[in-house]
Amino acid sequence: MTEEEIKREKELRKLDRAKARAEEWNKIRSLGAGARIRYFWDYYRIVLVFLLIMIATGYVILTMIRGAGTKTLLYTCILNVDEPDPDAEGLTEDFAQSIGGIGKHDEIVFDTSIRTDPEAVGISQLDVANTMKMTALLQSAILDVCLAPPEVMEYLQEQGMLLELDDLLDNEAKAEFSESDCLYYAPEPLYDEETGELILPETELKEEDTKNGHEPEQSGTQERDTYIYAVRVDQEGILNRYGIHEGKETWFSVAGNSQRTEMAMKLLDYLLGKTE
């Protein structure tokens, strides 16, 4: 091909791309709002998921940069907050005061932005964004405490995200909480020895059934030791003061890789009215 022909072919390709973009845009403009959302999700799902991953990564990077000059004393996720105007700032100030105050470059965070739905199929943009943020907080060891409704707390435990609290609670506290039925006991999550993958309760099998070639049975059939993974904390109504989980059952749990368990237990005392 001559130089003139090559140049002309490039121009034609450029015009074709511009025409295709114009047709695509006109097609999108002709759709209703709901249809547009479905269209973008059907045809640009990978791009959207990639953008969400980039946003989550950026969030972690920004948190780390900010953390370079600020010491985080405690990071708490208050999950599935339905109230329109939760006073996380007031909770932060009052809790900080209860522990004697904090330094100029210290911070305590109460994050009310994340929702976790154990029944969700995980394909909506909101589900993906929440999952990515929660995963980033856990993997970067930023997260310390979760305050959540019972079904969400149970889901987190089954996913292997929570720390056993047996060694963090003294015998007096265990006795007190046990009497009021405010401790959540569960067996440790199981992992496949070969793949390292988590074995969810609904797929857990009896060892003897597997050996004998019997049909698999549902979860709960294996006898295993149980441990404390959560404490109920809505009894004193502390969270109600801040418009958070008002009148709702709320459970306190600690992230499995938290490095600030001492401060986490101070929060537990505060929520149970033991520091006032």
Side-chain angles (χ1 to χ4, degrees):
M1 292 179 85
T2 64
E3 212 175 293
E4 181 75 20
E5 289 173 331
I6 292 173
K7 184 178 179 181
R8 181 171 178 76
E9 185 174 345
K10 286 183 178 179
E11 290 177 353
L12 288 173
R13 288 178 181 173
K14 185 177 179 180
L15 289 172
D16 287 340
R17 288 195 296 269
K19 183 179 178 181
R21 286 195 298 269
E23 290 176 351
E24 179 78 358
W25 177 240
N26 288 331
K27 181 177 180 180
I28 293 172
R29 289 177 62 187
S30 67
L31 299 173
R36 286 182 188 178
I37 293 173
R38 289 193 297 272
Y39 182 84
F40 273 108
W41 183 248
D42 289 340
Y43 292 94
Y44 297 99
R45 184 180 307 173
I46 295 177
V47 176
L48 291 173
V49 171
F50 177 75
L51 287 174
L52 289 171
I53 293 173
M54 293 298 294
I55 291 170
T57 303
Y59 173 83
V60 172
I61 292 173
L62 286 174
T63 301
M64 292 175 67
I65 292 173
R66 186 180 65 176
T70 304
K71 181 180 179 182
T72 300
L73 302 180
L74 190 73
Y75 195 109
T76 300
C77 275
I78 310 179
L79 299 168
N80 295 26
V81 174
D82 293 324
E83 289 79 7
D85 191 25
D87 186 12
E89 184 176 345
L91 174 57
T92 303
E93 292 176 358
D94 290 349
F95 173 60
Q97 185 176 354
S98 76
I99 59 174
I102 61 176
K104 181 179 179 180
H105 298 291
D106 297 336
E107 69 170 2
I108 293 171
V109 180
F110 288 97
D111 185 346
T112 61
S113 67
I114 301 178
R115 294 192 65 85
T116 297
D117 183 0
E119 303 299 325
V121 293
I123 60 172
S124 74
Q125 295 181 43
L126 185 59
D127 288 337
V128 173
N130 282 322
T131 299
M132 290 303 303
K133 183 175 179 180
M134 192 70 171
T135 301
L137 289 171
L138 284 164
Q139 291 186 347
S140 58
I142 294 173
L143 180 62
D144 297 301
V145 172
C146 290
L147 299 176
E151 67 279 3
V152 176
M153 177 273 296
E154 291 177 20
Y155 171 76
L156 295 176
Q157 191 279 324
E158 291 170 356
Q159 298 296 315
M161 299 180 184
L162 303 184
L163 181 71
E164 299 166 12
L165 302 180
D166 297 72
D167 293 335
L168 297 179
L169 296 169
D170 59 36
N171 291 331
E172 183 179 344
K174 291 177 187 176
E176 177 188 344
F177 295 140
S178 294
E179 288 178 3
S180 54
D181 198 26
C182 291
L183 295 179
Y184 176 76
Y185 288 87
E188 281 185 304
L190 283 178
Y191 294 87
D192 187 282
E193 293 182 0
E194 294 183 0
T195 65
E197 293 183 0
L198 181 70
I199 301 175
L200 297 176
E202 59 265 27
T203 59
E204 185 182 325
L205 309 179
K206 263 189 174 181
E207 185 177 348
E208 56 267 30
D209 283 344
T210 305
K211 290 179 180 178
N212 296 331
H214 295 164
E215 288 295 319
E217 295 189 16
Q218 294 297 314
S219 71
T221 59
Q222 260 187 319
E223 291 295 331
R224 306 208 312 274
D225 291 337
T226 59
Y227 302 91
I228 301 169
Y229 283 94
V231 180
R232 185 171 175 178
V233 291
D234 58 282
Q235 305 92 306
E236 298 299 322
I238 302 296
L239 289 174
N240 291 349
R241 301 176 187 173
Y242 310 100
I244 298 172
H245 290 321
E246 295 182 89
K248 298 175 184 176
E249 185 176 334
T250 308
W251 289 78
F252 166 99
S253 57
V254 178
N257 58 354
S258 171
Q259 302 299 310
R260 299 181 281 255
T261 55
E262 184 177 347
M263 186 62 71
M265 300 313 287
K266 289 183 180 181
L267 175 60
L268 176 61
D269 286 341
Y270 177 75
L271 295 173
L272 293 172
K274 294 186 176 183
T275 59
E276 300 184 349

